[in-house]
Amino acid sequence: MTLSSPLSTSQANRKRKLSVSDHEQDPILKRRNAKGNPSLRVEIPTASQLQESAYSDVESGVSGADSLFDDIFDDISFEVGEDIVTTSTATTGLNTSLDSSRPIQLPSISPGALPPSLIPSAPAVRSLRSLSSRPSRPSQPHHDPNGTPSDTPSSPKEFPIPGLFFNPSILIPQELASEVVEFCMKTYFSGRNANVNQVMLFGRSPTSSSTPAVPASRPSPSSTKLKENEDDDTDSQGYSGLPPILQTLLSHISTLLLPHLPPTVHSLYFPTAAATATSAPATCSSLSPPLTTTRTTRTIPPTSSTQSTPSPNLNRARQAIINLYHPGEGITPHVDLLRRFGDGIVGVSFGSGCVMEFRRVGDHPHDGLGDSEISESYAVPSGAGSSRGSNGSSDGLDDAYDLYLPERSVLAMSGDARYKWTHGIPRRKWDCVEEDGEGGVDNVVVGVDTGGCPGDGELLKDTNDDSGSGGRSSRGTWLERGTRLSITFRFLLPGAEIVGEED
Ligand SMILES: O=C(O)CCC(=O)C(=O)O
Ligand SMILES: [Fe+2]
């Protein structure tokens, strides 16, 4: 079986072909980049049952930023007969031009032994001051080849992009974070997958057992080692196919966000039969009961519209994309693939914080609308790299906002944030953040300009001070990035599912 996909549709019209072999034994596909770049691993249900239609939506896609990948992603070859297909993460814009003076070493993971940088720090990240294990400040951070020109950090302020939810006080529990990281590192990023830095997992929709719209997904190889839900990969919402630990993570995110999101928004990310009870379609009656926790912590009473508007994501299959970033790596600004994923994208940072940059998608009709690969689309935003300031936009917002995402924090994007703004992570090893005031939740919401902190001379921190702070200045604090793992959940749009039969 051969699947064709415009992995990159460059102006030179180079098209990359993805050939996926039938392989009965292993649902994991690995694409290999001959240039040895960090690779991506796609885990999908039952490779032997893939159908061409699975990727039909990207056959003619055009990426607005495709040229970014051309030199790296020139001629991908896919090995038929392997159970895994790998490729460069240029696909997703993950930085592949790493600092050669700092060899990347994927930690070897043994049970209970996480790489230090991925062991979640014990104290909750309530304040930037409490961020743990910061080495001495960088010598010349603004000269870091992975960095960007220096500038001053922005003042902390309310994050204004509609549809973007982020609250740094909402953190995944430490214990769960550790389990998730350990599972992911062991399962997806170690051993023969040492060069992999992205994995995509596809779940089944709640109705797939009766409606074969979404294929079966065999449990991940290590799922049998998990303590909970060992024999059942279906969660309380009826979603299945994802490793149980990720479903546990989803349940926690749902519970954490419930008091903070309007019901309609919450049900976008976590559709349940109950959330749409009033007008739920008949198929909902077959769903498992909603999470009980969601009933007890809700502080925002449901509105009538909530009761009467089914979540568009109800019964859609979820995809989990897991990205591993070494210090200095990032992801190119992009809008997640429009034709593949629905509204409502939620992700968690593990192991390290980083700055995420949001840029308004430009007026050009292709901005943010192209497909560069099977999972992502990239946009060249209007005014990319531009400084803040009034731009005369009708909504009064600037074109650029930066946000520091502490480890274990949750980011949710819907509406404008999902469709009208790109998100990306700058490729640098240090982020400059700024606090505001003396603590409290608001103080942890920090803005970071694309440039970062002032230069060395302006840092107040003593060079020899290894007290844990990365260096402070009157205008900001340098935070060194560690190895970061992110897990992002998205819903597959109708027709975008990978179609197949259950095992
Ligand atoms: O690493 C992250 O938090 C973002 C990942 C992302 O945007 C993506 O995979 O589409
Ligand atoms: Fe994304």
Side-chain angles (χ1 to χ4, degrees):
M1 178 184 301
T2 297
L3 303 180
S4 293
S5 170
L7 301 176
S8 177
T9 50
S10 67
Q11 290 157 350
N13 208 22
R14 281 178 289 186
K15 213 170 191 181
R16 285 87 186 200
K17 295 286 184 181
L18 166 61
S19 299
V20 178
S21 65
D22 278 356
H23 196 295
E24 297 292 340
Q25 303 304 318
D26 195 331
I28 300 171
L29 304 179
K30 183 170 80 176
R31 290 184 301 168
R32 175 166 298 157
N33 179 350
K35 296 184 181 179
N37 286 312
S39 58
L40 169 148
R41 195 169 89 175
V42 183
E43 182 162 326
I44 60 177
T46 318
S48 62
Q49 296 167 336
L50 288 173
Q51 296 180 0
E52 299 246 354
S53 59
Y55 294 116
S56 61
D57 63 324
V58 295
E59 285 282 336
S60 59
V62 175
S63 168
D66 179 71
S67 59
L68 290 171
F69 314 124
D70 281 356
D71 55 344
I72 305 172
F73 211 21
D74 190 13
D75 188 18
I76 304 297
S77 64
F78 302 97
E79 300 194 6
V80 175
E82 280 202 351
D83 58 350
I84 292 181
V85 185
T86 63
T87 190
S88 162
T89 47
T91 303
T92 59
L94 285 174
N95 182 27
T96 55
S97 57
L98 305 175
D99 182 354
S100 57
S101 67
R102 182 173 178 168
I104 298 300
Q105 291 186 335
L106 271 174
S108 62
I109 305 297
S110 59
L114 290 177
S117 58
L118 275 174
I119 297 173
S121 55
V125 185
R126 301 294 297 189
S127 161
L128 293 174
R129 290 191 182 90
S130 71
L131 286 171
S132 63
S133 303
R134 302 298 169 197
S136 58
R137 62 183 170 86
S139 55
Q140 287 188 308
H142 51 302
H143 292 152
D144 187 306
N146 292 315
T148 51
S150 64
D151 202 340
T152 56
S154 65
S155 299
K157 57 186 175 183
E158 190 177 328
F159 213 74
I161 297 176
L164 191 149
F165 177 82
F166 175 76
N167 183 330
S169 72
I170 298 177
L171 298 172
I172 298 300
Q174 187 77 60
E175 193 178 349
L176 176 60
S178 299
E179 281 184 43
V180 169
V181 169
E182 181 173 347
F183 169 79
C184 291
M185 293 304 294
K186 279 197 301 186
T187 307
Y188 305 118
F189 300 111
S190 59
R192 66 174 182 164
N193 299 316
N195 288 326
V196 168
N197 59 14
Q198 186 181 77
V199 174
M200 286 183 279
L201 306 170
F202 294 84
R204 291 190 295 267
S205 76
T207 57
S208 62
S209 58
S210 56
T211 306
V214 181
S217 174
R218 294 199 307 211
S220 67
S222 60
S223 62
T224 54
K225 297 175 187 167
L226 294 176
K227 294 173 188 165
E228 45 187 346
N229 302 325
E230 278 190 331
D231 301 321
D232 183 8
D233 69 350
T234 301
D235 71 10
S236 60
Q237 293 173 287
Y239 286 91
S240 55
L242 296 177
I245 188 71
L246 297 193
Q247 291 172 31
T248 301
L249 176 63
L250 271 169
S251 295
H252 274 78
I253 300 171
S254 173
T255 303
L256 286 170
L257 296 189
L258 188 69
H260 301 276
L261 295 177
T264 48
V265 178
H266 187 271
S267 69
L268 192 63
Y269 298 106
F270 305 98
T272 66
T276 59
T278 305
S279 62
T283 53
C284 289
S285 61
S286 63
L287 296 178
S288 302
L291 291 173
T292 52
T293 48
T294 64
R295 299 300 105 192
T296 57
T297 56
R298 184 183 292 279
T299 57
I300 303 171
T303 63
S304 56
S305 63
T306 302
Q307 296 294 323
S308 61
T309 305
S311 167
N313 291 324
L314 189 66
N315 297 332
R316 286 180 182 163
R318 260 192 232 271
Q319 187 224 48
I321 184 166
I322 309 172
N323 285 299
L324 180 66
Y325 303 84
H326 300 284
E329 295 179 317
I331 189 166
T332 302
H334 65 279
V335 173
D336 285 25
L337 200 67
L338 299 177
R339 284 174 288 177
R340 180 167 289 269
F341 303 111
D343 198 4
I345 296 170
V346 62
V348 182
S349 299
F350 295 98
S352 174
C354 74
V355 164
M356 184 168 278
E357 297 180 342
F358 297 87
R359 302 289 181 266
R360 192 195 298 270
V361 171
D363 293 333
H364 189 279
H366 290 298
D367 281 358
L369 300 178
D371 299 336
S372 68
E373 228 283 315
I374 57 174
S375 72
E376 299 297 308
S377 73
Y378 295 87
V380 179
S382 75
S386 66
S387 60
R388 294 158 191 272
S390 172
N391 64 356
S393 59
S394 58
D395 58 10
L397 301 181
D398 292 342
D399 282 343
Y401 293 94
D402 300 345
L403 182 63
Y404 187 77
L405 309 177
E407 62 168 313
R408 296 192 287 123
S409 64
V410 179
L411 177 76
M413 296 181 286
S414 63
D416 281 9
R418 188 262 185 268
Y419 292 110
K420 297 184 179 178
W421 293 75
T422 67
H423 55 278
I425 297 171
R427 292 161 186 149
R428 60 189 183 218
K429 296 178 178 176
W430 295 81
D431 291 310
C432 184
V433 299
E434 182 173 320
E435 296 179 74
D436 181 26
E438 295 302 317
V441 168
D442 289 344
N443 296 346
V444 194
V445 180
V446 293
V448 184
D449 250 345
T450 51
C453 289
D456 268 359
E458 300 173 68
L459 290 170
L460 299 181
K461 184 177 183 297
D462 187 323
T463 313
N464 299 317
D465 179 3
D466 59 355
S467 61
S469 172
R472 301 197 59 205
S473 78
S474 58
R475 290 187 289 172
T477 300
W478 285 103
L479 298 179
E480 186 179 33
R481 288 200 200 157
T483 302
R484 174 174 178 267
L485 188 81
S486 71
I487 303 181
T488 306
F489 297 97
R490 314 182 276 204
F491 286 98
L492 290 166
L493 287 172
E497 303 99 332
I498 298 183
V499 180
E501 297 172 9
E502 294 190 21
D503 286 334

